[in-house]
């Protein structure tokens, strides 16, 4: 499939969305499920629907050769929460499916999760706990999590499916002191996980595995840093073992890290510096014959400085740098490849799905981003990155391309991506268009299992909130 298919699909989606939106465009406020059914104030009802068409020319994944791919992805969510102060009872269903994908498509559990209960919880709220004016809550059951920057733990907004957890979460906030979160969870295994089930969009309930545990905490200060910045510190522990249902790498490591951030504001500079260090044990693969525990020693860094100009279109220019360590050698007893845990890749690395070559492993990349907002309905972004490997003998980022000898060098190429979004109906119906181009460098051209493809990706989607 070529990029013209994306443009054709975009025209079709645009026509359909305008036809759908036209009767509601004159409304003074968006149509909502809550208002439509006359729900009481203590019952929150909401939902979303998204349709997205993707097209990829020039496959980069070694297992699929220099092929093309396409996908028509649908995602629907329904959320309800009943507030019986101090108790809240909530739940959410997601239905994520993909069609039109080729039989050899890399579509996986991040794309398909049909008719799944991703949230089902009971929460207890309390006020003035420890500090006057504070707010606290304890949540038990199934839930999704967004922690800090979402680089390591977050709900996927671009991805069709998302991560969810079962367990306990405690949140506490006081304006003068800061915000704290503690959690102890079992990450849910998205099902089906077999290729036939995924391609057929089979309905199979996700399940937790008692041999996979994820727990930790985070604390965020008030605006105590220069120019009104905040400081954040966190520690996350992941412990897994093989089970009858799931083969694993027996990861048992802790990720320590922190972030300093000043949010963008018109006419001012902003900054963000985030880094983390992983230490513990893991195996090199999930093979049943791999019984050797390696010492984990891995790290990552994101650094960014930007400025939003007080001018027409509110342009923001930001210079960014990302680093994630790669494995130096498979024979030295250490494991140095950083693990991105449960974080979505879209904000930093471009769209996943049919695309998605970049990730937070064996990756070094400086880049520059330009964002504009012509008015309250339009916004757009263009982002350029130069791409390098941290370790020339390890596989590059999320591509699976590797040269164990290191002879193919450490320059992977360039990526440019762009995105434009338009509110057809403010806070209700939004169109989004985007593309990404990976111009390959010597590593992605010369590595033994490189496909030789020059990936060009495009997508168009419509989002409806109700």
């Amino acid at each position: 499939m070529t990029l013209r298919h994306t443009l054709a699909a975009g025209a079709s989606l645009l026509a359909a969305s305008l036809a759908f939106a036209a009767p509601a465009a004159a409304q003074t406020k968006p149509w909502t499920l809550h208002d439509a059914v006359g729900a009481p104030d203590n019952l929150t009802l909401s939902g979303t629907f998204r349709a997205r068409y993707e097209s990829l020319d020039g496959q980069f994944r070694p297992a699929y050769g220099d092929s093309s791919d396409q996908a028509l992805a649908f995602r629907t969510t329904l959320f309800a929460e009943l507030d019986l102060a101090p108790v809240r009872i909530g739940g959410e269903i997601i239905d994520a499916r993909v069609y039109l994908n080729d039989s050899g498509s890399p579509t996986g559990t991040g794309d398909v999760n049909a008719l799944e209960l991703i949230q089902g919880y009971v929460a207890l709220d309390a006020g003035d706990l420890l500090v006057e004016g504070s707010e606290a809550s304890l949540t038990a059951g199934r839930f999704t999590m967004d922690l800090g920057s979402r680089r390591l733990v977050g709900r996927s907004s671009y991805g069709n499916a998302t991560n969810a957890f079962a367990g306990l979460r405690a949140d506490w906030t006081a304006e003068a002191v800061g915000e704290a979160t503690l959690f102890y969870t079992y990450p849910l295994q998205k099902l089906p996980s077999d290729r036939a089930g995924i391609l057929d969009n089979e309905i199979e309930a996700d399940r937790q595995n008692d041999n996979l545990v994820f727990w930790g905490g985070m604390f965020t200060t008030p605006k105590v840093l220069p120019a009104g910045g905040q400081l954040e510190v966190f520690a996350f522990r992941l412990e897994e073992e093989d089970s009858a249902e799931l083969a694993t790498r027996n990861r048992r490591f802790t990720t320590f890290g922190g972030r300093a951030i000043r949010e963008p504001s018109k006419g001012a500079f902003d900054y963000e510096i985030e880094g983390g260090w992983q230490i513990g044990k893991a195996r090199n693969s999930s093979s049943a014959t791999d019984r050797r525990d390696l010492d984990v020693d891995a790290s990552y860094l994101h650094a960014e400085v930007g400025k939003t100009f007080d001018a027409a279109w509110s342009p923001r220019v930001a210079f960014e740098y990302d680093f994630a360590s790669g494995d130096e050698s498979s024979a030295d007893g250490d494991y140095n490849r950083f693990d991105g845990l449960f974080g979505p890749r879209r904000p930093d690395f471009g769209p996943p799905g049919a695309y998605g070559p970049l990730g937070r492993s064996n990756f070094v990349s400086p880049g520059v981003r330009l964002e504009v907002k012509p008015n309250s309905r339009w916004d757009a972004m263009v982002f350029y990155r130069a791409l390098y490997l941290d370790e020339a003998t390890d596989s590059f980022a999320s591509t699976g391309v590797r040269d164990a000898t290191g002879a193919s060098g450490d320059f992977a190429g360039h990526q440019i991506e762009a995105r434009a979004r338009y509110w057809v109906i403010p806070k209700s119906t939004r169109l989004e268009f985007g593309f990404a181009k990976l111009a390959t460098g010597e590593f992605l051209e010369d590595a033994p299992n490189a496909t030789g493809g020059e990936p060009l990706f495009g997508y168009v989607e419509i989002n409806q909130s109700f």
Side-chain angles (χ1 to χ4, degrees):
M1 297 297 156
T2 64
L3 195 58
R4 68 174 180 272
H5 291 89
T6 305
L7 299 176
S12 300
L13 279 178
L14 176 59
S17 65
L18 291 177
F20 174 81
Q27 295 181 358
T28 57
K29 65 176 183 177
W31 182 90
T32 66
L33 180 61
H34 181 276
D35 292 343
V37 302
D41 291 342
N42 69 332
L43 176 60
T44 299
L45 292 175
S46 64
T48 65
F49 171 76
R50 184 181 69 191
R52 179 171 64 229
Y53 179 79
E54 303 178 345
S55 178
L56 173 67
D57 281 333
Q59 181 62 260
F60 58 86
R61 299 171 177 89
Y64 302 96
D66 184 11
S67 61
S68 61
D69 196 14
Q70 65 173 339
L72 180 60
F74 294 102
R75 186 184 70 186
T76 304
T77 66
L78 290 173
F79 173 81
E81 184 181 76
L82 180 62
D83 190 349
L84 301 172
V87 175
R88 289 177 289 114
I89 303 171
E92 183 179 17
I93 294 173
I94 189 172
D95 189 69
R97 305 179 187 228
V98 177
Y99 301 92
L100 301 185
N101 46 338
D102 300 331
S103 60
S105 171
T107 303
T109 57
D111 307 295
V112 172
N113 200 11
L115 202 60
E116 182 60 44
L117 181 71
I118 56 171
Q119 298 203 84
Y121 59 83
V122 176
L124 176 64
D125 299 324
D128 297 329
L129 182 64
L130 301 178
V131 176
E132 185 175 354
S134 67
E135 297 180 356
S137 65
L138 178 64
T139 304
R142 284 190 176 190
F143 44 81
T144 59
M145 291 196 294
D146 284 327
L147 298 181
S149 69
R150 301 172 54 247
R151 289 190 175 91
L152 299 182
V153 185
R155 178 169 175 147
S156 178
S157 56
Y158 180 92
N160 218 36
T162 192
N163 294 312
F165 306 84
L168 293 172
R169 171 175 174 165
D171 294 278
W172 180 87
T173 180
E175 184 176 352
V177 180
E179 303 176 11
T181 297
L182 296 173
F183 62 91
Y184 187 93
T185 68
Y186 299 90
L188 297 181
Q189 180 188 358
K190 291 193 285 291
L191 297 171
S193 57
D194 65 291
R195 182 148 194 80
I198 290 171
L199 293 178
D200 288 342
N201 294 296
E202 288 184 0
I203 298 175
E204 183 177 355
D206 294 352
R207 62 171 175 257
Q208 70 185 59
N209 188 325
D210 293 343
N211 291 344
L212 175 60
V213 182
F214 182 57
W215 56 276
M218 171 176 288
F219 178 74
T220 305
T221 71
K223 296 180 179 180
V224 297
L225 297 180
Q230 292 180 283
L231 179 64
E232 178 180 281
V233 294
F234 56 83
F236 304 142
R237 178 70 178 178
L238 181 69
E239 300 175 353
E240 69 178 4
E241 296 179 355
D242 293 339
S243 66
E245 299 82 15
L246 187 66
T248 74
R249 290 180 39 239
N250 286 64
R251 295 171 295 172
R252 291 146 290 154
F253 56 70
T254 304
T255 305
F256 299 98
R259 179 170 72 131
I261 181 172
R262 185 193 185 198
E263 298 287 353
S265 60
K266 186 171 288 190
F269 282 95
D270 57 85
Y271 60 83
E272 182 178 13
I273 302 174
E274 178 176 347
W277 179 37
Q278 287 177 342
I279 55 173
K281 299 286 185 180
R283 293 174 184 170
N284 197 50
S285 72
S286 59
S287 171
T289 60
D290 187 353
R291 311 296 296 175
R292 184 189 184 197
D293 287 333
L294 305 176
D295 293 323
V296 174
D297 184 1
S299 57
Y300 83 99
L301 173 69
H302 173 84
E304 176 179 346
V305 59
K307 181 175 182 179
T308 303
F309 294 90
D310 190 1
W313 290 31
S314 301
R316 176 179 180 266
V317 178
F319 297 93
E320 303 186 18
Y321 175 82
D322 280 279
F323 161 83
S325 60
D327 195 32
E328 296 177 4
S329 170
S330 59
D332 61 3
D334 292 335
Y335 189 84
N336 311 112
R337 186 176 177 88
F338 189 80
D339 190 309
L341 297 176
F342 305 98
R345 291 181 288 160
R346 174 65 174 102
D348 290 333
F349 300 137
Y355 189 63
L358 307 186
R360 212 172 300 281
S361 298
N362 195 30
F363 180 73
V364 181
S365 176
V368 58
R369 184 192 301 260
L370 171 64
E371 300 170 311
V372 294
K373 190 173 183 179
N375 52 50
S376 61
R377 294 201 175 200
W378 278 104
D379 69 82
M381 176 272 293
V382 62
F383 190 14
Y384 163 78
R385 281 187 176 279
L387 311 174
Y388 298 87
L389 290 76
D390 174 50
E391 294 293 340
T393 57
D394 193 8
S395 63
F396 172 60
S398 299
T399 64
V401 179
R402 182 182 183 188
D403 183 349
T405 70
S408 298
D410 62 0
F411 178 59
H414 311 269
Q415 176 178 279
I416 184 167
E417 62 166 308
R419 179 191 67 198
R421 299 182 295 194
Y422 173 68
W423 285 104
V424 180
I425 302 175
K427 299 182 180 180
S428 179
T429 307
R430 188 173 70 179
L431 287 172
E432 181 172 330
F433 307 84
F435 86 91
K437 172 64 178 177
L438 178 59
T440 56
E442 61 175 343
F443 176 81
L444 290 177
E445 293 171 353
D446 299 340
N449 64 341
T451 66
E454 285 273 351
L456 176 61
F457 173 80
Y459 72 93
V460 58
E461 68 179 41
I462 179 171
N463 288 272
Q464 179 68 45
S465 301
F466 55 87

